[in-house]
Amino acid sequence: MQVDVWSPPPVLLTVDLVILTLREGRMCVLLVERGEDPFQGMSALPGGFLNHAGEEILDAAHRELSEETALAAGRVHLEQLAVYGDAGRDPRGRVVSVAHLAIAPGLPEPVAGTDATDAAWVPAEAALSGEVELAFDHRRIVTDGIERARTKLEFTSLATAFCGDVFTITELQQVYEAVWGTELDTRNFYRKVQAVKGFIIPAGSGRRTTGGRPARLYRAGPKTVLYPPLIRPVAPPHGTGHKRRRGIDVERPGGDSHRPQS
């Protein structure tokens, strides 16, 4: 009786990084220009193969973060996003990618490394819309990463990862507006943030002047799960004739009244 000998199919493993930051009030994603085939010259997410069979996946993500962009891993919030393994996603063969989401405030201009010829911050909407064409299935990965960030802003303290060590409530609001892509009502945002105990805490008695009167400084608090959550607003239908402030639950009443101290 003939016995078939089975051998495992060759599968390669990579890590890819969706790195998000805010630049000039816009959410941006880091893209590199591929320096070699496949897709030479096209934009892609930073990433690459494991260095060796014993390298841990998280270690590989941290290594790629440094090698491809010269960004310090210690400054970045890093979490596993998803696994992408469609059979035809890479022309080199069966390549499975473990994608990670990385977020940090005020990241510097990136420096390309290894197989990348350039690296740049690109507005997230340009990557989502297809205005910037991406190699492999990286548009799908970017879409999933940005949606993960948008969703986690509702239920977790992830928004503070976009801020510095200390920040004002106005600066925190700007994070939500940039990530969600919508303008928020200032008074309602202030009220809802203050209602979530432990989300942010005062950073001493320091204040920051940001064009108006000095604003109180805060830092990330101990709470990582927000209750009540800050639910993402739903934009009103076009053509309804109802001019509504896009914001957390509400329309702003009666003109431009007193702005709360943040």
Side-chain angles (χ1 to χ4, degrees):
M1 176 177 172
Q2 184 177 356
V3 177
D4 293 331
V5 177
W6 179 87
S7 59
V11 177
L12 297 173
L13 187 65
T14 68
V15 293
D16 288 306
L17 302 172
V18 181
I19 306 174
L20 303 177
T21 195
L22 298 189
R23 296 179 69 83
E24 298 180 354
R26 304 176 74 181
M27 180 170 61
C28 294
V29 59
L30 184 65
L31 299 179
V32 299
E33 181 181 325
R34 289 188 56 79
E36 57 186 42
D37 285 328
F39 306 111
Q40 183 176 8
M42 285 187 64
S43 295
L45 293 170
F49 292 100
L50 297 185
N51 253 351
H52 51 81
E55 185 177 32
E56 297 293 341
I57 292 175
L58 184 58
D59 291 340
H62 281 296
R63 175 179 54 76
E64 288 293 341
L65 185 68
S66 175
E67 287 182 358
E68 295 281 5
T69 66
L71 299 177
R75 298 183 56 203
V76 180
H77 166 89
L78 186 66
E79 64 179 71
Q80 190 174 121
L81 174 62
V83 175
Y84 299 84
D86 291 354
R89 64 180 301 272
D90 193 314
R92 293 169 293 189
R94 191 65 188 271
V95 180
V96 175
S97 173
V98 182
H100 290 72
L101 175 65
I103 295 171
L107 292 177
E109 289 296 331
V111 178
T114 61
D115 61 349
T117 58
D118 194 15
W121 294 108
V122 175
E125 286 303 322
L128 292 174
S129 67
E131 177 185 342
V132 176
E133 188 177 1
L134 300 183
F136 305 104
D137 54 356
H138 287 186
R139 182 180 173 192
R140 175 188 173 193
I141 299 175
V142 169
T143 300
D144 291 348
I146 290 174
E147 182 56 32
R148 166 77 67 86
R150 287 173 171 168
T151 300
K152 290 192 75 171
L153 256 62
E154 299 184 64
F155 302 101
T156 76
S157 61
L158 183 66
T160 59
F162 285 95
C163 299
D165 291 337
V166 295
F167 49 87
T168 66
I169 290 183
T170 296
E171 290 167 342
L172 185 65
Q173 179 178 334
Q174 290 167 354
V175 169
Y176 277 87
E177 291 180 332
V179 176
W180 283 348
T182 188
E183 186 180 5
L184 302 178
D185 181 272
T186 299
R187 289 183 296 174
N188 282 303
F189 183 80
Y190 181 89
R191 174 174 57 84
K192 285 187 171 287
V193 167
Q194 295 286 34
V196 184
K197 302 302 181 186
F199 176 21
I200 59 175
I201 57 176
S205 58
R207 293 177 180 270
R208 178 179 296 160
T209 301
T210 56
R213 58 181 182 170
R216 179 174 296 172
L217 294 175
Y218 294 84
R219 66 176 71 252
K223 199 161 191 175
T224 57
V225 176
L226 305 187
Y227 186 81
L230 277 67
I231 300 300
R232 193 186 335 177
V234 177
H238 293 294
T240 60
H242 176 57
K243 186 170 179 68
R244 174 178 176 265
R245 283 281 294 189
R246 292 171 297 169
I248 297 177
D249 336 282
V250 282
E251 180 177 358
R252 189 170 184 167
D256 190 13
S257 58
H258 176 67
R259 181 186 181 92
Q261 185 174 339
S262 54

